[in-house]
Amino acid sequence: MPMVATSGLAIFSLSAEPHLLSFGFIALGPCFAAVSGSPTVVALIGTYATTLVIVVSSYQGLWGTPDQVLRIAVTLVATAICVVIASHRRLLEFNSAEAVKDQVMLAAVLEASSDAVYTATPEGTITTWNRGAEEIYGYTRAAAIGSSIQMLAPPDDGTALLAMFAEAAQGRRSDQIEVTRVRHDGTPFDVSVMLAPVRDPAGNVTAVASIEHDITARKRAGAKERAALERTQTAQRLESLGQLAGGIAHDFNNLLAIILNYSQFAAEQIPTDSEARDDLARVLRAAERARRLTHQLLVFARSERTEPAIIDLNDVVAEANDLFSRTLGGHIQLVTRTGEQPTTIIADRSSIDQVLFNLVINARDAMPDGGVLVMEVDHVEISSDEVGYAPPPLSGRYIRLTVNDTGTGMAPEVVNRVFEPFFTTKAKHEGTGLGLATVYGIVTDAGGSIRIASELHVGTTFSVLFPAAEVSDQPTATVADRPTAHGNGERVLVVDDDETVRELMVRILDRNGYKPVPAADPEGALKLADEPFDLLLTDVLMPQMSGPELAQRIKDRQPDIPVLFVSGYTDGNAGVGRATGGILLHKPFTTDSLLDSVQEALAGTGVPSR
């Protein structure tokens, strides 16, 4: 087409007067070609036009004249200019096509994104809505476009959302923030949001774009991970405290054995009407109280002896209901709910009674002005990702004991420490801080877990899990009759590195018909081991050699000698008696308990511990 136009212009110039103006029409040919945007076409048309200029000007008698040269020069210059114009036009068209392609690609990416991407006017009217927004929010594109962004926020947060969009409309790009949004069905969820202004070619903000990522699952996973970490840290802290408590209890038990028995010795030598005898009675009562506190420490440390058996929590709670209904007072309403099915567990009955007692007493103390206390037992299925229990329970079937009160509640920082021994919020002399520590020790010793839910001025709920048990899980134990506790001259080798405790045991045995032979340490005992003895009585934990190791070495010389172990710290010693064919007596012991254990060891009754 440009070539035809150029040919036409040449014919017009040929028929016109031979002056420069009419000739100039031929130079328009390359300009027509420039519209094509092809520099090559323009160059070809320019060459063709130059050829026509030469032909026409020669025909008009201008061959070799300056006019002919000028005409050729003008045509060539016009051609060069048109080549530049065509090149620029082609570049613009290419860039425009690429821009359109990019926009189409970007639109496809945004449409395919799982994130919610939408735009709205500065006033908050939705103008675009991608498929991710449809899936996250539940609104179709038709329902969303034209609606206000307030429908995406909780009822009390719509104004704040409009303010965020208005701020972005001022040209400020927001940082990524986490907020709560609401789905079409009213379900709240968490999103990570970034707002950015959308500008027109002139730089004016015409809309605000919002990119939102659903982080609900991530936050839940994070919360579970933090909860698991907190439970682990709590368990580790309580385990460390338990080891410390057990060590302290070991030393206390040695001292208490001395105090209890020597006080009793002194009391026996004082007239009944003496004031000193009353003083010693007070000492004995204080020592008994100290023994109970030490017992609680050992329970917390999971180092106290227990006698597990199959018990039904329904029975425990029902019997406790009769007791507590008379002792809680009229200002507290007691509600008991037991299950219709058996709720059997394997645990020490007295320990479970202590758990319930401590929980109920704590609930009572939390309701000084009255309230409602609920004790409930039921069956539950627990998964391994259950949150809040310490230690974390394994998946399985459990019997749950729940004690709920409507009392003062506890702050989070108090909840985090309630199982620590000696931690208490009660006034001085009103609590030892061992009640809930004891509960924790008993529950974990029974293979269970415990959880606290508490809110200030609302109340507290303790949920205790015990592994469910069948009646066939535990054989019925039989109890043998105790033999007479008096000796008949039996020789007893007494080994204890604590001089006072050793002398105490020797004195008790000597006064009750035995012939004790003391040894200050295992090496001293081995030097005496060639002599015949009827019984080895030894401490479990000693510096140079443990009691079980000493017993084995003496049995190498006297295979039939019975063994009675004595220990104030039973962690790791529960199987000591069984492993060596002996029995285990726990400190602090009394005269009666020591003599009974000696007789049981001599008689070979196989009673494992006392």
Side-chain angles (χ1 to χ4, degrees), residues 507-559:
R507 181 170 179 176
I508 292 174
L509 293 172
D510 185 63
R511 292 177 56 179
N512 288 276
Y514 297 95
K515 293 182 178 180
V517 178
D521 52 47
E523 291 298 331
L526 289 173
K527 292 177 181 178
L528 299 170
D530 291 330
E531 302 178 23
F533 286 100
D534 298 297
L535 175 69
L536 169 63
L537 194 165
T538 178
D539 191 14
V540 172
L541 299 178
M542 293 179 288
Q544 297 87 3
M545 186 185 304
S546 70
E549 184 180 353
L550 172 64
Q552 189 58 55
R553 294 182 64 175
I554 291 181
K555 276 182 170 290
D556 291 340
R557 305 182 191 182
Q558 302 185 42

Side-chain angles (χ1 to χ4, degrees), residues 553-573:
R553 294 182 64 175
I554 291 181
K555 276 182 170 290
D556 291 340
R557 305 182 191 182
Q558 302 185 42
D560 297 329
I561 187 172
V563 182
L564 172 60
F565 293 101
V566 183
S567 178
Y569 181 37
T570 61
D571 187 23
N573 300 328

Side-chain angles (χ1 to χ4, degrees), residues 254-317:
N254 277 338
L255 297 174
L256 289 173
I258 296 167
I259 294 171
L260 283 167
N261 287 281
Y262 279 102
S263 297
Q264 184 64 42
F265 293 159
E268 292 172 358
Q269 301 176 38
I270 298 175
T272 56
D273 58 349
S274 171
E275 184 177 347
R277 190 181 183 91
D278 292 336
D279 294 339
L280 283 173
R282 290 187 176 89
V283 172
L284 285 168
R285 285 195 296 270
E288 285 292 341
R289 183 183 176 190
R291 183 166 66 170
R292 288 194 296 270
L293 289 175
T294 306
H295 168 77
Q296 288 182 297
L297 274 177
L298 287 170
V299 169
F300 169 74
R302 300 176 64 179
S303 301
E304 185 59 298
R305 63 192 184 277
T306 58
E307 297 179 3
I310 286 200
I311 59 175
D312 193 325
L313 271 185
N314 281 336
D315 296 339
V316 175
V317 171

